Amino acid sequence: MSTTERLYYHDSRLLEFDARVISLSELDDGQIAVTLDQTAFYPTGGGQPTDTGTLGDARVVDCIDVEDDGVLHVIQGPTPEVGDTVHGKIDWLRRLDHLQQHTGQHILSAAFVKLFDAPTHSFRVLEHECEIDIALDEPSDERIEEAVDLANQIIWESRPITIRQVTSEQAATLPLRKEPAREGELRLIEIGDFDLTPCGGTHAKSTGEVGVIVVRSWERAKGLTRVHFRAGVRALADYRKTNQTARDVAALFSAGREDSPTLVSKIIEDNKRLTRRVSELEEVASRVEAEELLQEAVSYRTGSGSDRVPVGMSVIDGERGSSRTVREGSDNNQGPFVIAKVFDDRSADSLKHLALALTAHPNTVALLGSRDGATARLVFARSSDAAGDMNMLMRGACSILGGRGGGRPDMAQGGGKDVAALDKAIQAAAQGLIES
Ligand SMILES: [Zn+2]
């Protein structure tokens, strides 16, 4: 059995060290792992991600904690021999980041306990996210910001952070923020007159190194409150990103950053009003459009329509603005007018307006379609005195479009993704109507 002395336990600022290779192993995925007699590399664990860096000329891409068997340094590059002395070097910016998030978590968790007696149940420092799950009664922005204020006050007082080694008996007499997860000798992290908690991670030497703590958002999660926070370098990166977003939005209005929310709500309000107005106007326009379509129908009936449009068949021209209207049996006046037409970029609402305007006229059936982006839309309607089951025709048409739809015998809606089959679907409906 090999073991590794953990240099990071005593000094989180130790970034370079020499060590002897005591064993090599191959992981399941074929990568080589090196065990050293001592290391300053912090392995993944305790809610903190692994350090990276170099070992000789090789990259250390991951470190795995195997407890009493030491730390496995997963390397990419030249593999040293057992017995070699190698030089290790930690990636400082990554270590600093982890150390700030992790120490920040201690401080923030302690602040929630001090103010609201709200203990932390779990925490995670991930590659980009930091979160704690706390048992906070009645969570609110105000309460959470109060804890953030206290945490930052402790940071800006640059209180010392020290490590104490104690036995479990000694620990039992101390006011620890959380119960130790292990037996035997314990490593306690003490933040001057503020927090005392067992932990094996890497910490700042004083609270000031954490820089600042900010909370991005929070939500309820499994009976607890999950708080998403950022400390130090991550808080700065997050500020830059957020500020850029706010400035980009403000630039759209040629306004200041602080004015954006008011201007955005105004646009949303204007948009709602305009949408209502467009809907009203569309209704009026639909009536005019319906008149024109019906005029066309009448001219087919009274003119040479029977020559141009075969009896009992609906012809649909796919071009925008063109349509054919047929009535069943052009020799007599018994069948309904069938207005069949496909539009481009027309919403379901707009089709419905037109269908209602058409079927306000007697003995009329409207079979309308629209190519609305990648969606094929259909609205079928008939006047109360016309024959035909729109619900049934719609179901048949939608199966051609690979979609779904339905409704009442006098009005049905539907659609599908097969936009190219729209003409075919409407023709099938017209045919179905004639045959019924
Ligand atoms: Zn810790």
Side-chain angles (χ1 to χ4, degrees):
M1 184 190 287
S2 52
T3 192
T4 309
E5 193 189 343
R6 296 162 192 250
L7 302 170
Y8 59 81
Y9 265 159
H10 314 291
D11 188 356
S12 59
R13 290 266 176 178
L14 180 68
L15 301 176
E16 294 195 44
F17 64 100
D18 288 316
R20 198 167 50 80
V21 176
I22 50 179
S23 69
L24 296 172
S25 50
E26 193 179 319
L27 302 178
D28 291 344
D29 60 5
Q31 295 199 92
I32 300 296
V34 180
T35 309
L36 305 170
D37 62 344
Q38 58 176 7
T39 188
F41 280 94
Y42 182 82
T44 306
Q48 197 174 340
T50 182
D51 278 332
T52 58
T54 54
L55 207 54
D57 291 326
R59 277 297 298 167
V60 175
V61 295
D62 194 9
C63 298
I64 303 163
D65 196 340
V66 279
E67 303 285 325
D68 290 340
D69 288 339
V71 174
L72 296 180
H73 303 75
V74 182
I75 59 164
Q76 287 174 359
T79 306
E81 303 277 334
V82 172
D84 281 358
T85 295
V86 286
H87 187 70
K89 197 172 171 188
I90 314 292
D91 291 333
W92 166 239
L93 284 180
R94 184 178 163 92
R95 162 70 69 81
L96 173 68
D97 172 24
H98 294 164
L99 177 156
Q100 286 180 325
Q101 312 313 315
H102 181 74
T103 310
Q105 179 267 313
H106 279 247
I107 299 169
L108 187 59
S109 287
F112 276 112
V113 171
K114 291 265 189 282
L115 291 172
F116 308 115
D117 198 20
T120 293
H121 283 234
S122 62
F123 61 89
R124 284 157 296 281
V125 174
L126 307 171
E127 290 296 327
H128 300 289
E129 294 284 322
C130 305
E131 55 194 35
I132 53 175
D133 292 338
I134 51 175
L136 176 64
D137 291 334
E138 296 171 29
S140 65
D141 285 342
E142 289 72 24
R143 290 193 133 202
I144 288 167
E145 288 307 320
E146 204 180 326
V148 169
D149 281 343
L150 174 58
N152 282 312
Q153 184 192 316
I154 299 298
I155 288 170
W156 298 329
E157 286 172 9
S158 274
R159 297 198 189 192
I161 300 176
T162 49
I163 302 162
R164 281 164 69 176
Q165 296 288 149
V166 298
T167 61
S168 48
E169 290 75 28
Q170 287 170 314
T173 67
L174 294 169
L176 301 186
R177 177 162 54 78
K178 65 175 185 185
E179 289 300 310
R182 51 196 290 169
E183 300 282 303
E185 181 145 291
L186 283 176
R187 179 179 191 253
L188 303 182
I189 304 302
E190 181 161 32
I191 297 176
D193 288 332
F194 190 66
D195 189 37
L196 183 64
T197 195
C199 187
T202 55
H203 304 86
K205 287 186 171 171
S206 90
T207 57
E209 279 182 68
V210 176
V212 69
I213 288 178
V214 295
V215 164
R216 277 173 61 104
S217 60
W218 59 273
E219 76 256 354
R220 293 221 183 240
K222 294 172 188 163
L224 298 168
T225 301
R226 179 162 294 171
V227 177
H228 302 269
F229 72 96
R230 300 281 191 277
V233 292
R234 287 193 191 188
L236 175 61
D238 193 57
Y239 171 79
R240 284 184 175 140
K241 208 165 149 186
T242 310
N243 185 42
Q244 192 58 53
T245 305
R247 284 169 60 182
D248 287 349
V249 173
L252 295 173
F253 299 101
S254 308
R257 205 180 63 168
E258 282 69 24
D259 298 326
S260 305
T262 317
L263 293 166
V264 170
S265 7
K266 190 178 169 300
I267 281 201
I268 291 171
E269 275 312 306
D270 285 352
N271 199 275
K272 278 184 194 159
R273 208 169 43 243
L274 287 172
T275 305
R276 277 197 298 274
R277 188 68 187 134
V278 165
S279 177
E280 287 162 15
L281 292 174
E282 207 158 46
E283 229 178 295
V284 176
S286 296
R287 286 203 287 274
V288 176
E289 199 180 0
E291 289 298 337
E292 283 173 8
L293 286 170
L294 287 163
Q295 280 296 317
E296 204 180 328
V298 170
S299 74
Y300 275 126
R301 184 170 60 166
T302 56
S304 55
S306 58
D307 297 333
R308 290 159 61 191
V309 183
V311 172
M313 184 179 161
S314 176
V315 178
I316 299 151
D317 191 326
E319 297 299 311
R320 174 195 283 274
S322 65
S323 69
R324 298 289 186 274
T325 312
V326 277
R327 51 179 278 284
E328 182 191 350
S330 61
D331 293 338
N332 57 60
N333 290 339
Q334 285 167 1
F337 289 114
V338 181
I339 309 289
K341 186 166 179 178
V342 177
F343 300 87
D344 281 321
D345 301 323
R346 226 164 147 156
S347 70
D349 257 7
S350 165
L351 284 184
K352 207 170 154 185
H353 280 310
L354 180 58
L356 288 172
L358 283 166
T359 57
H361 295 265
N363 203 26
T364 306
V365 175
L367 305 175
L368 307 179
S370 169
R371 304 177 193 91
D372 195 0
T375 306
R377 301 189 189 286
L378 288 174
V379 172
F380 295 170
R382 66 160 166 79
S383 342
S384 52
D385 61 345
D389 183 347
M390 300 301 118
N391 176 45
M392 196 191 72
L393 293 178
M394 181 58 74
R395 285 170 192 278
C398 286
S399 71
I400 293 171
L401 297 178
R404 289 165 62 173
R408 302 186 311 263
D410 63 338
M411 161 71 85
Q413 292 188 69
K417 292 290 165 206
D418 192 354
V419 179
L422 204 46
D423 287 351
K424 195 178 153 203
I426 290 188
Q427 293 215 30
Q431 197 64 41
L433 187 68
I434 288 159
E435 285 165 5
S436 68

